[in-house]
Amino acid sequence: DELNARKRLSLSDLIFQAGMTIKPAAFIRNSIIFGVVLFVVLVIVQVPFYFAAIFAVAGGYLLPRFYVSRRRKKYQDRFLDELPNGVDIIVRGVKAGLPLGDCIKVVAREAREPVATEFRKITETQVMGISLAEAVQKLPDRMPLAEANFFAIVVAIQQKAGGGLAEALGNLSRVLRGRKAMKRKIKALSAEAKSSAAIIG
């Protein structure tokens, strides 16, 4: 499960983790505009004034945040789908004798989004003088998923203690693919159970 799923995210964190570039102030402004437009529409269709005000405030606050939450979930799902491929690219590069930093740059160029963007941020962080291990440790902050944390932990251990990085990341890739397959199986079973319940109902 997501590492910070039980924590209440701030608006800026929610927007950041959804891969959006809009500023929180602009998001709040747009939410207010949406609430005002919703209020006007409700008044035009002759909804009582006080109900229109309540619905407009609720809609202006909840609906934009619901949209960002949905976008964040889709962004994370796409990241999980591509992460094993990105790890495989690193494994092949390490086996070919490339340094880990160069392998991460290859992922940033060749992987699909949003993995390419997230790994590009790792390389951009390194440019500011931060070590590779510290730059990778920032990945779970942007992508609060157990899988991202697994990757950061493997890299951190290898950077501190040495050892076979290719073998460790190869094992991680298999674990990530196994977790992805298990999640799909659980989703299929839950969908089947929901369909059965709906039919019985």
Side-chain angles (χ1 to χ4, degrees):
D1 196 12
E2 291 89 4
L3 299 176
N4 297 327
R6 300 184 186 278
K7 294 182 181 179
R8 184 174 180 82
L9 291 171
S10 66
L11 177 60
S12 59
D13 287 339
L14 194 64
I15 292 172
F16 181 62
Q17 293 175 8
M20 300 171 67
T21 57
I22 187 171
K23 301 293 184 183
F27 179 85
I28 293 172
R29 180 199 64 210
N30 293 344
S31 298
I32 293 172
I33 293 173
F34 175 76
V36 170
V37 171
L38 181 60
F39 174 76
V40 172
V41 171
L42 291 173
V43 169
I44 290 175
V45 298
Q46 298 183 341
V47 173
F49 184 86
Y50 47 89
F51 282 130
I54 292 172
F55 291 149
V57 171
Y61 180 80
L62 295 176
L63 291 179
R65 282 163 177 75
F66 176 76
Y67 166 77
V68 176
S69 295
R70 289 275 298 174
R71 182 159 174 168
R72 173 177 177 265
K73 179 68 169 60
K74 290 181 179 179
Y75 189 79
Q76 291 179 349
D77 288 344
R78 293 195 341 259
F79 178 86
L80 290 178
D81 283 342
E82 181 63 12
L83 181 59
N85 297 330
V87 174
D88 287 342
I89 291 173
I90 295 175
V91 170
R92 291 194 295 270
V94 170
K95 286 183 176 179
L98 289 176
L100 177 59
D102 290 345
C103 295
I104 289 177
K105 290 178 182 178
V106 173
V107 175
R109 290 197 308 267
E110 297 183 2
R112 290 183 306 205
E113 296 295 346
V115 167
T117 294
E118 294 301 325
F119 276 69
R120 194 176 305 119
K121 289 175 182 176
I122 292 175
T123 62
E124 290 170 355
T125 302
Q126 265 194 285
V127 172
M128 295 186 293
I130 296 176
S131 69
L132 177 59
E134 291 175 324
V136 173
Q137 287 297 317
K138 295 182 180 297
L139 176 61
D141 294 335
R142 298 190 302 270
M143 195 65 62
L145 301 166
E147 289 83 352
N149 198 45
F150 293 161
F151 175 77
I153 289 171
V154 168
V155 172
I157 292 174
Q158 193 276 338
Q159 292 287 299
K160 291 180 180 178
L165 179 60
E167 182 181 356
L169 289 177
N171 292 334
L172 175 61
S173 177
R174 287 189 290 273
V175 170
L176 295 179
R177 293 183 189 280
R179 284 174 63 88
K180 185 168 72 171
M182 180 61 69
K183 286 182 178 180
R184 286 179 175 173
K185 185 176 181 180
I186 292 172
K187 187 175 181 180
L189 291 173
S190 63
E192 182 180 343
K194 289 176 183 178
S195 299
S196 299
I199 292 171
I200 292 172

